[in-house]
């Protein structure tokens, strides 16, 4: 049995926040001899990104003045695609 993956959460206790999104590729997460790209091969859906954007939106109420969101789901261009969609979602709210 594999150790569990830490549940996703967004929390802050300062003026800056850094959030890193790796994806949810449970199939490859604990495999040995896979590349980082294979481990982080996950394309977030627009619905998932909307939910994550809501979490990022709560940071201002917690005193965060500057936040960074990095997509490390580095298979092909998945990170870039998700970052672009997240940017649109955040900009439109």
């Amino acid at each position: 049995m594999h150790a569990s993956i830490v549940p996703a959460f967004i929390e802050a206790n300062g003026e800056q926040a850094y959030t890193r999104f790796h994806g949810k590729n449970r199939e490859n997460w604990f495999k040995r001899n896979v590349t980082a790209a294979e481990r982080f091969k996950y394309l977030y859906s627009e619905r998932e990104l909307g939910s994550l954007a809501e979490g990022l939106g709560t940071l201002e109420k917690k005193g965060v003045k500057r936040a960074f969101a990095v997509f490390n789901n580095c298979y092909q261009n998945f990170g870039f695609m998700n970052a672009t969609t997240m940017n649109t979602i955040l900009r439109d709210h």
Side-chain angles (χ1 to χ4, degrees):
M1 179 174 210
H2 293 297
S4 64
I5 295 173
V6 176
F9 65 93
I10 296 176
E11 190 57 66
N13 62 358
E15 291 186 354
Q16 295 191 38
Y18 174 88
T19 306
R20 191 170 180 174
F21 300 101
H22 286 288
K24 301 178 186 178
N25 188 342
R26 292 183 188 278
E27 179 182 333
N28 286 339
W29 194 263
F30 296 104
K31 280 186 181 176
R32 295 180 186 260
N33 302 320
V34 297
T35 65
E38 292 171 308
R39 181 166 285 117
F40 303 138
K41 180 182 176 181
Y42 187 81
L43 185 63
Y44 288 92
S45 70
E46 194 167 333
R47 184 178 189 174
E48 287 175 298
L49 292 172
S51 178
L52 293 168
E54 286 178 21
L56 291 172
T58 67
L59 292 174
E60 186 175 13
K61 294 176 187 166
K62 297 175 182 180
V64 173
K65 297 184 185 316
R66 188 173 186 180
F68 301 90
V70 176
F71 284 87
N72 195 35
N73 49 332
C74 53
Y75 179 80
Q76 294 181 357
N77 66 342
F78 286 8
F80 180 78
M81 291 170 54
N82 283 152
T84 301
T85 303
M86 177 66 86
N87 184 52
T88 300
I89 291 168
L90 290 170
R91 189 183 61 228
D92 291 347
H93 283 101

